[in-house]
Amino acid sequence: MANMTELWRKNPFNNPFQSKEVNPSRNFACASAGGDYSCEFGSSKYYALCAFGGILSCGLTHTAVVPLDLVKCRMQVDPAKYNGIIQGFRVSVKDDGFRSLAKGWAPTFLGYSMQGLFKFGFYEVFKIMYSNALGEEYSYMYRTSLYLAASASAEFFADIALAPMEAVKVRLQTQPGFGKTLREGFPKILKDEGVAGFYKGLVPLWMRQIPYTMMKFAAFERTVEFLYKYVVPVPRDTLTKDKQLVVTFTAGYIAGVFCAVVSHPADSVVSKLNSNKGSTALQIAKMLGWKGMWKGLVARILMVGTLTGLQWFIYDSVKVYFRMPRPPPPEMPESLKRKLAEKEAASSAH
């Protein structure tokens, strides 16, 4: 972790730490707890708290929307029976009772908690590593690409942690007679299909989650930058923590809408794949067709937009609660400003 700290000191995001002492004159774009920080940016404690924030933000939010997720999955698997959100809720309650809407909550909580740990924790690590590899000026100029690369790398590992619980969850929600609880579903897959059964949907899960996460982080980072530059009417350092968290939620919700659209076709394939024994992702895609892969999109936009906004809100709130530092949106490095000024002067001289 000492190497990670050194990497951070060299990154282009205007590090507020010149030494182990915090620079109190520096302000942060998103939620800030003030000048008395509990850890140094890039320390092992910082990464551990980021991972904890990821556990809470993903585990709690995904569990909270289990009823909507259940209906969405059933619409994707059996669109003739579950034709629309309202109809999907009515049929589900009529067939299995109101309590059935919570089916799959346990694998959802466990699976997405583990995913959040790797997603947010590794994103912080990879962003620092890649920015150091690019150098100060290129990291600023190509910061969107940096966000995309760091988030894709983090999600690759996060989905390996998520896949087993995702397989159990989808089958509980979409296969009649499969089981009612995680205690029933997990050993059933293990007995019938072995460990490979838990990772049957890993590749389509990557296809769904990696584009989703790339959009989630890149769109959020750039939206925060846009909001503070063009929308928020006062300097960010004058905002209270509560108002900063409102900006965080707004940026997260906007990012979530884009996430839902980008990842929805693969989400439909994952849902159908885990409910169809012996099928491959390509076979499912052909079976659904282009139009079929967009079933349930409205439900997913509602779910993912709210979910993504809440995830960023919770993640930023964790940083506030534990008094963690966070750098502001990146600013153009002085060296790049000088180069641009020299280039402009040279053009004017000619």
Side-chain angles (χ1 to χ4, degrees), residues 215-259:
M215 183 64 71
K216 173 180 179 175
F217 282 87
F220 173 78
E221 298 271 18
R222 294 310 299 258
T223 302
V224 166
E225 190 177 334
F226 176 86
L227 291 176
Y228 277 112
K229 190 172 183 180
Y230 298 107
V231 179
V232 179
V234 295
R236 64 175 179 264
D237 59 340
T238 64
L239 292 178
T240 63
K241 289 178 287 186
D242 291 342
K243 290 181 179 178
Q244 289 178 21
L245 287 171
V246 170
V247 174
T248 297
F249 176 79
T250 303
Y253 196 97
I254 293 170
V257 173
F258 289 106
C259 291

Side-chain angles (χ1 to χ4, degrees), residues 68-85:
L68 187 57
D69 184 47
L70 177 141
V71 172
K72 183 264 304 177
C73 288
R74 289 180 174 179
M75 287 169 61
Q76 292 168 330
V77 172
D78 191 356
K81 183 176 181 180
Y82 303 95
N83 186 19
I85 299 174

Side-chain angles (χ1 to χ4, degrees), residues 257-270:
V257 173
F258 289 106
C259 291
V261 175
V262 166
S263 61
H264 190 73
D267 181 64
S268 297
V269 173
V270 171

Side-chain angles (χ1 to χ4, degrees), residues 69-192:
D69 184 47
L70 177 141
V71 172
K72 183 264 304 177
C73 288
R74 289 180 174 179
M75 287 169 61
Q76 292 168 330
V77 172
D78 191 356
K81 183 176 181 180
Y82 303 95
N83 186 19
I85 299 174
I86 297 175
Q87 175 71 4
F89 273 107
R90 284 176 178 170
V91 173
S92 296
V93 171
K94 181 181 178 181
D95 288 352
D96 303 313
F98 187 78
R99 292 183 64 182
S100 69
L101 295 177
K103 185 178 285 187
W105 75 267
T108 296
F109 178 73
L110 292 175
Y112 282 94
S113 291
M114 292 302 298
Q115 186 210 40
L117 184 153
F118 287 97
K119 185 199 296 274
F120 283 91
F122 276 17
Y123 174 71
E124 301 280 358
V125 173
F126 283 120
K127 186 168 72 170
I128 292 170
M129 291 176 63
Y130 294 160
S131 66
N132 182 68
L134 286 172
E136 184 178 49
E137 294 178 6
Y138 283 118
S139 290
Y140 175 79
M141 292 167 61
Y142 301 104
R143 59 192 181 279
T144 302
S145 298
L146 181 119
Y147 302 146
L148 292 170
S151 56
S153 301
E155 189 61 34
F156 177 86
F157 295 101
D159 289 342
I160 295 173
L162 168 64
M165 292 296 104
E166 180 74 0
V168 177
K169 182 209 74 158
V170 172
R171 296 190 195 194
L172 287 174
Q173 293 177 337
T174 61
Q175 283 188 6
F178 176 77
K180 294 183 179 180
T181 66
L182 174 61
R183 289 195 300 271
E184 294 176 26
F186 190 91
K188 189 169 185 178
I189 294 177
L190 187 62
K191 180 182 178 181
D192 294 347

Side-chain angles (χ1 to χ4, degrees), residues 329-346:
E331 299 172 2
M332 185 180 292
E334 290 300 321
S335 59
L336 186 57
K337 288 180 181 178
R338 287 195 297 270
K339 286 182 180 180
L340 292 175
E342 290 169 3
K343 187 176 180 180
E344 188 176 342

